[in-house]
Amino acid sequence: MHPLLFVFVAAAGASVLGPAGMGASVREGQPCLAPQEWEGRWVQYDHSTGRNQRAIVSYDGLNQRIRVLQNHKKHTPCQKYFEYIYLYQSMVMFQIDQKTKDCSKIALTEAWDPFDIPDNSTFEDQYIIGGPGDNVEAQEWSDRKPARQHETWVGVYTLKDCYPVQETYTRNSSVTTSTRFFNLQLGISDPNVFTPPSTCQSARPERMAEWAC
């Protein structure tokens, strides 16, 4: 599981889920092993602000790094668009303005947390996303424990190849971040996306504001 900006399940506009509680078809067992390297897209929804962030993502679990390129949206003229490079082995994050190439270098304060299902996760359900003839079977896991009433993480992963579908983190009763993943492809087509541009050699230490007005 992963705490970035970011994160994934029960988001507005989430995929339509098939009937839960499918009786004998529900198979509780060990969590599957998620892919270590993939590229694709995600939509992250922050429940506290009501904003969706759409981005192209490259995920390298082997080297503990993530690159996020925000998608431009014409209907939000005040928003700035950034590229984010998270390097967890160095515990730094680079924020690059896509237009000006200005760069900020920020120290990461949370340890690497991969997009996967931890071994100690609790099985919640197995169901079909979609409908007859156009569906994907998925399992839902959480960090719910008997001593804690509510889970703080829920992850939905495909049953066949263990691709992430959706993750949700709850920081407290009012702050929840959800992420939906789609169009995933195995591997990293261009490893150079994890290399900060030359403008980051003189990076500022402050994070840049994401809105201009």
Side-chain angles (χ1 to χ4, degrees):
M1 53 183 178
H2 198 284
L4 288 181
L5 33 152
F6 323 65
V7 216
F8 204 99
V9 170
S15 300
V16 177
L17 301 182
M22 298 174 62
S25 67
V26 176
R27 299 187 299 274
E28 179 176 356
Q30 293 298 314
C32 58
L33 298 177
Q36 290 285 298
E37 293 182 330
W38 51 260
E39 294 178 323
R41 296 177 179 271
W42 73 25
V43 178
Q44 291 182 337
Y45 177 70
D46 188 327
H47 294 241
S48 63
T49 64
R51 289 175 178 166
N52 283 295
Q53 294 285 357
R54 302 177 184 273
I56 299 170
V57 181
S58 298
Y59 172 78
D60 180 3
L62 297 173
N63 296 296
Q64 300 183 0
R65 53 190 186 174
I66 299 174
R67 184 254 199 168
V68 178
L69 184 66
Q70 290 182 328
N71 289 2
H72 288 257
K73 295 178 292 183
K74 295 181 180 179
H75 57 281
T76 53
C78 291
Q79 185 176 359
K80 296 181 179 179
Y81 293 92
F82 294 96
E83 174 184 3
Y84 296 90
I85 301 174
Y86 294 82
L87 304 177
Y88 279 87
Q89 291 184 348
S90 302
M91 291 302 291
V92 295
M93 181 271 284
F94 293 92
Q95 179 193 27
I96 302 105
D97 188 308
Q98 293 185 35
K99 182 177 181 180
T100 66
K101 301 305 178 182
D102 289 343
C103 180
S104 292
K105 181 180 179 180
I106 312 295
L108 294 172
T109 58
E110 296 184 338
W112 168 253
D113 190 1
F115 287 118
D116 66 3
I117 307 171
D119 290 338
N120 61 350
S121 299
T122 297
F123 177 83
E124 297 289 353
D125 205 351
Q126 182 169 314
Y127 43 67
I128 298 296
I129 299 175
D134 187 11
N135 58 68
V136 175
E137 196 167 10
Q139 284 190 341
E140 181 177 305
W141 298 78
S142 78
D143 65 351
R144 180 173 54 87
K145 298 294 183 288
R148 186 169 60 227
Q149 183 177 4
H150 301 293
E151 63 271 8
T152 61
W153 167 81
V154 178
V156 178
Y157 283 73
T158 62
L159 184 62
K160 181 178 180 293
D161 294 315
C162 208
Y163 286 110
V165 176
Q166 203 163 275
E167 280 196 355
T168 294
Y169 279 85
T170 303
R171 297 303 184 188
N172 55 50
S173 59
S174 62
V175 178
T176 301
T177 309
S178 303
T179 308
R180 292 178 285 126
F181 302 81
F182 52 95
N183 292 353
L184 301 190
Q185 299 288 333
L186 285 178
I188 303 297
S189 59
D190 181 9
N192 291 324
V193 298
F194 300 106
T195 302
S198 58
T199 53
C200 289
Q201 294 178 3
S202 57
R204 67 186 73 183
E206 305 87 11
R207 188 182 183 112
M208 290 176 276
E210 296 192 351
W211 296 85
C213 55

